Amino acid sequence: MAGRRGWQKSGRTRHTARKGEEGAMDNMMMIGLSQQQVLRRAMDITANNIANVSTAGFKAEQLLVEAEPYTRARAEDGPARLNYVAEWGMGRDFSQGTLEQTGRPLDVAITGEGFFTIDTPQGERFTRDGRFSMDAAGTLTSANGAPVLGEDGAPITIDPDAGPVTILANGEVNQNGLVAGRIAVTRFENQGVLSKIGDNLYTAPDDAERELALEPVIRQGFVESSNVRPIMEITSMMEVSRAYSSVTRMLQQADELSRKAIERLGRPG
């Protein structure tokens, strides 16, 4: 199914304090600071989505959070346990982006699941960005200049002087009636294992379950656009900004209350 989402677990920042610090830190301040940390991360992700609205094959991301219970700072009253908000992982929407016609013969787009397989010095990488081109040696390359691999695991080579190139729906690359290769489309059982590494590329663990698509559907002369929805992202950014401002006001009020309490306690009786 093209609409599957990938959920990625990520490292979390623990909010526990050392024993000597717990009594000095107010519960409200601790919870507010943890919320601000998560909101800043959410804002970064939303801003990155907006920045990649025009990036071919880009998949929208979303921060996943969870409640983390911890013992409260020492106090005379209030609950014995408090729930902090913490980053749990990253959600990535792998649903299909709109196919945009370019007319360029080496531009291709996958309809449905799967990724083009790219050869890099660090090993195989995967992408939905099908803005391919041909280098001086005739090798089919990705947008960042890395060779595009065929189903045999080797780069696909085209003769620059042999005429037009036709790419069939199954990924077969033809030139003057000769087959130059067949573009590999790799599918993963669990797309959540994919990690983004930059340049619109993903990497996967060596033991990740994968297979070559036997009957991929590839469109020549098209590229897949980003599936980011700008209006939704701008709305999300406004919500995060309002939430951050609200938490900031809460922390300022808590600080003011603490200051006044200290001033009253310091007055002679």
Side-chain angles (χ1 to χ4, degrees):
M1 295 173 61
R4 287 198 302 174
R5 293 173 180 260
W7 307 109
Q8 250 183 316
K9 193 71 178 288
S10 64
R12 300 176 294 178
T13 301
R14 296 289 183 179
H15 302 291
T16 50
R18 291 190 297 272
K19 184 176 180 180
E21 296 174 331
E22 286 185 342
M25 187 174 289
D26 181 82
N27 291 323
M28 185 182 297
M29 296 289 285
M30 292 170 67
I31 293 174
L33 289 172
S34 74
Q35 177 74 2
Q36 281 188 325
Q37 185 179 41
V38 170
L39 288 171
R40 283 196 295 268
R41 175 69 172 140
M43 180 65 80
D44 289 342
I45 293 172
T46 302
N48 186 61
N49 286 341
I50 293 174
N52 284 281
V53 166
S54 300
T55 301
F58 182 85
K59 300 304 178 186
E61 298 171 334
Q62 179 182 4
L63 184 67
L64 305 177
V65 299
E66 66 177 346
E68 284 192 341
Y70 285 107
T71 304
R72 59 168 169 76
R74 289 193 292 271
E76 296 299 326
D77 55 9
R81 303 285 286 180
L82 299 174
N83 285 326
Y84 298 87
V85 61
E87 179 180 345
W88 180 85
M90 175 78 75
R92 187 169 290 118
D93 181 5
F94 283 105
S95 62
Q96 179 87 49
T98 303
L99 300 190
E100 297 181 351
Q101 188 169 11
T102 66
R104 295 183 65 248
L106 296 183
D107 280 347
V108 289
I110 299 172
T111 299
E113 291 185 0
F115 298 83
F116 299 114
T117 308
I118 308 300
D119 187 27
T120 74
Q122 295 74 36
E124 289 186 355
R125 298 295 182 259
F126 309 93
T127 185
R128 293 281 295 194
D129 185 353
R131 295 173 297 172
F132 297 159
S133 58
M134 182 172 54
D135 65 15
T139 302
L140 189 65
T141 60
S142 65
N144 60 4
V148 178
L149 296 181
E151 289 189 336
D152 59 358
I156 297 173
T157 302
I158 302 168
D159 186 346
D161 301 318
V165 174
T166 300
I167 301 176
L168 304 182
N170 64 0
E172 191 174 275
V173 180
N174 289 276
Q175 191 176 31
N176 284 340
L178 299 177
V179 178
R182 183 175 174 181
I183 298 173
V185 176
T186 304
R187 291 176 177 169
F188 292 88
E189 179 66 25
N190 175 18
Q191 295 182 114
V193 302
L194 295 169
S195 299
K196 192 166 63 174
I197 58 171
D199 287 333
N200 219 3
L201 298 175
Y202 299 93
T203 184
D206 293 337
D207 59 353
E209 293 186 33
R210 70 189 76 181
E211 64 179 4
L212 288 175
L214 298 179
E215 297 181 0
V217 180
I218 291 179
R219 299 285 301 278
Q220 182 182 21
F222 288 80
V223 293
E224 180 186 3
S225 64
S226 167
N227 68 355
V228 172
R229 293 180 290 178
I231 298 300
M232 296 293 292
E233 297 299 329
I234 292 173
T235 300
S236 176
M237 180 174 284
M238 294 172 62
E239 291 174 348
V240 171
S241 180
R242 285 196 294 265
Y244 193 92
S245 297
S246 178
V247 174
T248 299
R249 287 194 298 271
M250 181 193 74
L251 292 177
Q252 291 171 343
Q253 292 169 359
D255 183 64
E256 180 67 14
L257 288 174
S258 296
R259 186 184 63 79
K260 290 182 178 179
I262 292 173
E263 289 177 352
R264 285 196 297 267
L265 290 172
R267 293 171 186 166

